[in-house]
Amino acid sequence: MNDKKIKTALISVYYKDHLEEIVRRLNALQVSILSTGGTKEFIERLGIPVTAVETLTGYPSILGGRVKTLHPKVFGGILSRTGHDSDKKEMKEYAIESIDLVVVDLYPFEQTVASGASPDEIIEKIDIGGISLIRAAAKNYEDVVIIPSKDQYQVLLDVLNTREGTTTLDQRRNLALEAFGVTSYYDTAIFNYFNQNRDKQVFRQSINEAKPLRYGENPHQKGTFYGDFSQIFDQLHGKEISYNNLLDIEAAVYLIDDFKETTFAILKHNNACGIATRPGLLAAWTDALAGDPVSAYGGILITNTVIDESTAVEADKLFFEVIIAPAFADASLEVLTKKKNRIILVRKSVNLPRVQFRSMLNGVIEQDRDVKIESRSDMKPVTHVVPTDAEYEDLVFANKVVKHSKSNTIVLAKNKQLIASGVGQTSRVDALKQAIIKARNFGFDTQGAVMASDAFFPFPDCVEIAHEAGITAVIQPGGSVRDQDSVDFCDKNSMSMVFTGIRHFKH
């Protein structure tokens, strides 16, 4: 018989929310209750009989509350196996009573770290007794019900209300699964706190939230998002977010965060196909769209300022998947929500992770996120001709865009507007040729434009082609053994070139 009726419960929780209903129901079912500290006082205030763990063990809570439940009469009662005669004999010999329900809610370690608390306060929020109780009860799930956090309170209430406190083996095993999920997540958070500087080269990540996606990158692939999307965005409207939407949303957010002035960007397959910085949002939108109105179809829209009605009216003329902004004027939402599937996201003010990782073969690779932004002061002129003030502004703009484009990539910009880019090419020359053709196809004059490259030029061919197109200023990392060939060509043809010393590969 695998069904077990709860007879004795040990309750020790940090958060008392919604605990009252559980305690009252246990009492109604004549379940004996053991408890400690604040939880015991809470139960007593309800007028419900409760036995102090200290009474059970004969020892008081010691060391400032660090040791309360760590005792054989507690853990023996949890770990004893009803099907083992030797366990029964020892339980009788040492006067240990069985405990068949353990309800725990751990100290809020992560929240304490996030609050900016002192190291001493953080250390005191490392739960010892609670996590030990969870592991013991989960290990002995054949005989014990474990409720490892407040997230499982409703499961317990359902058992108490619909089955009068009787659980099946499957129910107890499922709760044990939840329990080890809680303990592994908790331990990972503690480890990562101690390993903030990555002194120990091991990979430890744990995320509780999971959202199944319609599919992965393609319909024949399964996909799941692990994380709490709502921490970063409020979704105001639209269909469920897809795997590919998430990839584009991340790329859009990281791109727009490099711009402080009013900027609008349109992305497709993780690359900007249009972006412009302007004094007003409508002008920024108009010039971003002009960069590549063909690729913009079905894209991701993002800006760093409030979407107003006039911009919404113009953007509404384009089919797009997602639009992201820090806020939307009410009138703009009336326009944008007319398309039922259109995803509308409001960004929250949160710090994004500065470390990235991805699966790789039979392991994981990790790196610091590329957060380097080169300003004018970081640019070293290497030619006789120095960029003008306007060209410097365009070089800063273009270099931000190239940083967020797939390698090999070349970006052409003019008047703080993306006029074309060549992305994801195996040849930098091909990337440049692609960009020039695109710029001309969409009616841009490349005369006086600037060129940004994510990596150095191994040969002068790119600057030669750029000169033929009328490009007058170039930004690149430098670092090739043949840098001087490109510099010499620029000098002979009155072009300016600056080195940054920073490569921005993106794969």
Side-chain angles (χ1 to χ4, degrees):
M1 185 69 175
N2 291 325
D3 287 1
K4 299 279 184 179
K5 187 171 179 64
I6 297 169
K7 297 177 182 178
T8 302
L10 170 59
I11 306 176
S12 179
V13 299
Y14 186 84
Y15 290 111
K16 314 300 188 294
D17 300 346
H18 309 296
L19 183 62
E20 180 177 350
E21 189 177 356
I22 289 173
V23 172
R24 291 195 183 281
R25 186 59 182 151
L26 288 171
N27 183 58
L29 293 171
Q30 298 183 328
V31 174
S32 299
I33 300 175
L34 301 166
S35 193
T36 64
T39 307
K40 180 180 76 70
E41 292 172 3
F42 174 84
I43 296 170
E44 286 175 334
R45 285 196 296 271
L46 297 176
I48 292 172
V50 57
T51 301
V53 166
E54 293 85 347
T55 301
L56 175 73
T57 63
Y59 278 86
S61 172
I62 61 173
L63 306 181
R66 283 187 165 198
V67 181
K68 291 180 285 191
T69 58
L70 298 170
H71 192 280
K73 286 210 169 183
V74 174
F75 282 86
I78 295 170
L79 287 164
S80 63
R81 296 160 291 185
T82 57
H84 285 235
D85 290 340
S86 59
D87 284 8
K88 292 178 182 178
K89 180 181 178 182
E90 289 181 349
M91 294 280 283
K92 184 176 181 180
E93 180 180 355
Y94 297 108
I96 299 173
E97 297 294 329
S98 294
I99 298 170
D100 42 32
L101 169 64
V102 175
V103 182
V104 176
D105 189 65
L106 298 172
Y107 291 162
F109 177 82
E110 266 193 313
Q111 294 90 328
T112 305
V113 173
S115 73
S118 69
D120 285 347
E121 291 173 309
I122 291 170
I123 293 302
E124 288 308 310
K125 286 298 184 288
I126 297 177
D127 206 311
I128 302 300
I131 206 158
S132 300
L133 290 170
I134 292 173
R135 291 180 64 87
K139 177 177 180 176
N140 200 26
Y141 71 87
E142 290 195 0
D143 291 306
V144 180
V145 179
I146 175 60
I147 303 298
S149 78
K150 60 183 184 295
D151 294 338
Q152 286 76 43
Y153 282 2
Q154 189 57 51
V155 175
L156 176 57
L157 277 171
D158 290 344
V159 167
L160 297 177
N161 290 327
T162 64
R163 294 177 56 86
E164 296 190 336
T166 298
T167 59
T168 66
L169 181 61
D170 283 345
Q171 286 174 323
R172 295 192 299 277
R173 192 182 189 285
N174 288 335
L175 286 168
L177 171 64
E178 294 287 347
F180 286 119
V182 168
T183 60
S184 64
Y185 181 87
Y186 197 79
D187 284 339
T188 298
I190 295 169
F191 173 83
N192 285 333
Y193 167 74
F194 280 96
N195 199 39
Q196 292 176 72
N197 298 325
R198 288 184 277 176
D199 299 318
K200 189 170 180 61
Q201 291 294 300
V202 297
F203 184 79
R204 295 279 190 279
Q205 291 291 331
S206 183
I207 301 173
N208 282 332
E209 298 82 3
K211 179 177 176 56
L213 304 171
R214 295 197 304 276
Y215 49 79
E217 205 161 4
N218 299 292
H220 63 277
Q221 296 170 268
K222 290 184 179 180
T224 304
F225 173 68
Y226 294 98
D228 186 356
F229 191 76
S230 65
Q231 284 186 343
I232 302 175
F233 299 100
D234 283 326
Q235 182 171 350
L236 303 184
H237 185 75
K239 63 184 179 181
E240 286 191 9
I241 294 170
S242 71
Y243 183 99
N244 290 327
N245 288 156
L246 287 168
L247 293 176
D248 284 329
I249 288 167
E250 180 187 63
V253 165
Y254 288 150
L255 169 64
I256 205 70
D257 280 355
D258 280 355
F259 294 85
K260 302 307 175 189
E261 299 172 278
T262 298
T263 301
F264 213 117
I266 306 167
L267 287 87
K268 195 74 171 287
H269 296 295
N270 310 157
N271 295 296
C273 57
I275 182 170
T277 296
R278 294 290 182 265
L281 185 62
L282 181 57
W285 157 255
T286 302
D287 290 343
L289 180 62
D292 187 347
V294 175
S295 296
Y297 181 86
I300 306 292
L301 280 51
I302 190 167
T303 184
N304 54 5
T305 192
V306 179
I307 299 281
D308 55 34
E309 182 181 15
S310 59
T311 305
V313 168
E314 291 304 312
D316 187 57
K317 297 174 182 178
L318 174 74
F319 168 73
F320 58 87
E321 289 269 333
V322 183
I323 185 167
I324 309 166
F328 292 80
D330 291 343
S332 73
L333 288 175
E334 290 181 17
V335 174
L336 295 171
T337 54
K338 290 178 181 178
K339 304 286 195 307
K340 69 175 184 178
N341 287 330
R342 179 179 287 161
I343 297 167
I344 300 176
L345 299 176
V346 174
R347 283 193 68 185
K348 297 180 180 179
S349 181
V350 296
N351 293 323
L352 294 169
R354 295 177 70 90
V355 175
Q356 297 173 312
F357 54 87
R358 61 191 288 186
S359 61
M360 182 61 56
L361 298 174
N362 63 340
V364 173
I365 54 174
E366 179 183 271
Q367 67 171 357
D368 295 330
R369 184 160 59 85
D370 185 359
V371 296
K372 177 66 176 172
I373 303 173
E374 290 77 52
S375 65
R376 177 171 175 170
S377 63
D378 297 313
M379 298 175 187
K380 176 185 176 185
V382 292
T383 49
H384 298 315
V385 176
V386 177
T388 65
D389 288 344
E391 285 174 332
Y392 264 122
E393 287 191 351
D394 282 345
L395 290 171
V396 170
F397 176 92
N399 201 49
K400 290 177 180 177
V401 179
V402 85
K403 165 187 166 183
H404 294 279
S405 302
K406 296 289 187 180
S407 300
N408 288 311
T409 181
I410 293 288
V411 163
L412 305 182
K414 190 175 182 179
N415 301 323
K416 292 193 278 190
Q417 177 187 20
L418 174 65
I419 63 172
S421 62
V423 299
Q425 299 299 309
T426 54
S427 161
R428 200 163 301 280
V429 171
D430 287 345
L432 174 55
K433 289 179 178 178
Q434 180 190 69
I436 292 170
I437 291 170
K438 284 188 68 175
R440 290 171 176 168
N441 283 347
F442 292 118
F444 289 104
D445 181 5
T446 55
Q447 186 69 40
V450 307
M451 174 174 74
S453 175
D454 61 333
F456 63 64
F457 299 117
F459 304 102
D461 44 11
C462 279
V463 289
E464 293 168 0
I465 296 168
H467 172 64
E468 291 176 8
I471 291 162
T472 54
V474 180
I475 183 170
Q476 61 138 321
S480 168
V481 295
R482 301 186 66 172
D483 275 343
Q484 196 59 44
D485 292 350
S486 294
V487 173
D488 289 345
F489 180 88
C490 288
D491 281 337
K492 290 176 184 177
N493 292 278
S494 301
M495 295 173 68
S496 64
M497 178 181 285
V498 297
F499 286 179
T500 64
I502 301 294
R503 189 181 73 185
H504 287 297
F505 271 167
K506 184 184 179 190
H507 295 101

